[in-house]
Amino acid sequence: MSAVCVWVMGAGSVGVFLGARLAAAGHTVVAIGRERLGRDIRQHGLRLTDLDGFDLRVPAPPRWALAPDDSLPRPDLVLLTVKSGGTALAAAQLAACLSAGTPVLSFQNGVENLATARAAAPSLRWLAGMVPYNIAELAPGHWHRATSGELVAEDDALLRPWQQRFTQAGLPLQLRRNMLGVQWAKLLLNLNNPVNALSGLQLREQLLDRSWRRCTAALMAEGLAALDAAGIRPAQLSPLPAAWIPAVLRLPTPLFRLVAARMLRIDPSARSSMADDLRLGRPLEIDALCGAVLRLGEQHGVATPRNAWMLRQLSQLPPREDLAAWASLRQEALAGV
């Protein structure tokens, strides 16, 4: 297939990894993101690795830009990878310089981003997607896929030619019709993100701690109850149906190791993106996760107190140096689960 041009709007860890793999496959890629990451790539080069042993120095990294504008080559597809709180602004910026009908594939966490984007930029063609894996920035210019899975996007005629391009770039892409179920299933799994951030542990270490797993299970159980009341069936993204995962998380750790062996196929380096944001003092994507569960529960008369607590607490965190306050917060998170 002929080379195409892709913009990655909001190129953080996920966006850089996806864009770099497409660039390495010979496509023109423009990464639009923070100056620090572009500077790191210029100074250190761009290296991609993964838990399966893949290791690539990208010879021609994506072109870096701080904002979309008319000087950039016109994209055949835009990948939207900004945090949920930046969706409306990013959509408006894209609409200001792109032709009507330009396709934008949202590879964001949460279930409300497409509605926000369409309201801000109705002239663009918005498509739903999902990234299942964790990308960690191990060093300046070095990004690592630390968990497994395949990209998912809605089964739209416009995306079918892209399925081959992504696969050839080492990014297998499934096309599915029930994207709402896919997005909610991913959101349920992402309810571990605030738990991981609050724990202060690496992802695998946190998943091997039953107390923290029970905290995640409580959040997921509330989400499942709200989905059931709303008549939304989450897709199955792992060998286990979504409805079984809270019970598995609550198992004693020796049993959990056996039943959830695939869940533990995680590099020791893996951590949630929310843990990274907390460490770097960036806004947390908590409203797109626990807030979405809370809103769905309110719409359908389902109480979601654990998600409400997590949303409230992670929206007003104590200073990092206040160790006593953090210890108290962690104790409260683990109480009653």
Side-chain angles (χ1 to χ4, degrees), residues 7-322:
W7 284 11
V8 181
M9 182 65 179
S13 293
V14 167
V16 168
F17 191 89
L18 299 182
R21 296 237 37 179
L22 289 165
H27 301 297
T28 299
V29 177
V30 177
I32 302 167
R34 294 185 296 274
E35 170 59 21
R36 177 187 70 83
L37 299 185
R39 184 177 62 249
D40 286 347
I41 291 171
R42 289 192 298 271
Q43 292 178 352
H44 302 280
L46 180 53
R47 181 186 178 193
L48 305 179
T49 57
D50 70 21
L51 75 170
D52 297 314
F54 175 80
D55 194 335
L56 173 68
R57 291 277 183 179
V58 181
R63 174 177 172 179
W64 203 268
L66 300 183
D69 62 49
D70 294 333
S71 71
L72 301 174
R74 297 298 86 187
D76 298 287
L77 178 68
V78 179
L79 307 183
L80 185 65
T81 58
V82 298
K83 297 292 185 180
S84 296
T87 298
L89 176 59
Q93 289 177 320
L94 290 171
C97 62
L98 296 181
S99 302
T102 300
V104 185
L105 176 56
S106 168
F107 275 138
Q108 301 168 274
N109 288 332
V111 296
E112 299 165 331
N113 290 302
L114 279 190
T116 300
R118 287 187 180 119
S123 66
L124 302 180
R125 176 77 176 277
W126 295 97
L127 301 160
M130 186 275 289
V131 178
Y133 35 72
N134 172 278
I135 306 296
E137 183 184 358
L138 299 187
H142 180 189
W143 280 270
H144 181 77
R145 178 174 64 80
T147 57
S148 58
E150 293 187 355
L151 300 172
V152 182
E154 65 180 275
D155 188 4
D156 185 280
L158 187 150
L159 289 178
R160 288 171 196 156
W162 288 92
Q163 192 171 25
Q164 183 178 351
R165 294 185 181 108
F166 273 81
T167 299
Q168 289 175 342
L171 300 168
L173 175 66
Q174 300 178 28
L175 298 182
R176 296 200 191 185
R177 293 184 178 180
N178 178 26
M179 279 306 295
L180 182 62
V182 169
Q183 289 177 313
W184 269 108
K186 176 66 186 309
L187 189 149
L188 290 172
L189 296 175
N190 279 343
L191 291 175
N192 189 64
N193 288 6
V195 177
N196 178 245
L198 195 54
S199 74
L201 304 173
Q202 297 294 88
L203 188 56
R204 193 175 192 279
E205 184 182 2
Q206 177 244 311
L207 284 172
L208 288 172
D209 185 314
R210 190 185 187 196
S211 296
W212 287 114
R213 289 200 311 275
R214 286 165 62 89
C215 185
T216 300
L219 297 173
M220 290 185 68
E222 290 181 357
L224 285 163
L227 287 171
D228 186 60
I232 299 172
R233 184 177 180 180
Q236 185 168 333
L237 300 182
S238 71
L240 295 174
W244 294 11
I245 295 178
V248 171
L249 291 173
R250 293 186 180 107
L251 290 172
T253 296
L255 282 177
F256 175 76
R257 281 180 177 271
L258 292 174
V259 175
R262 184 170 166 181
M263 289 177 77
L264 293 173
R265 190 169 178 265
I266 302 171
D267 274 8
S269 62
R271 55 186 178 263
S272 71
S273 59
M274 193 174 292
D276 286 338
D277 289 338
L278 180 62
R279 177 175 54 86
L280 295 170
R282 295 197 293 248
L284 303 186
E285 207 173 23
I286 188 66
D287 184 67
L289 302 179
C290 295
V293 173
L294 178 63
R295 287 185 285 275
L296 187 68
E298 289 174 342
Q299 291 168 16
H300 297 279
V302 175
T304 57
R306 298 295 303 182
N307 280 273
W309 181 91
M310 193 68 77
L311 174 63
R312 184 171 61 254
Q313 297 302 325
L314 268 66
S315 297
Q316 49 183 18
L317 289 167
R320 293 293 294 171
E321 62 274 13
D322 191 342

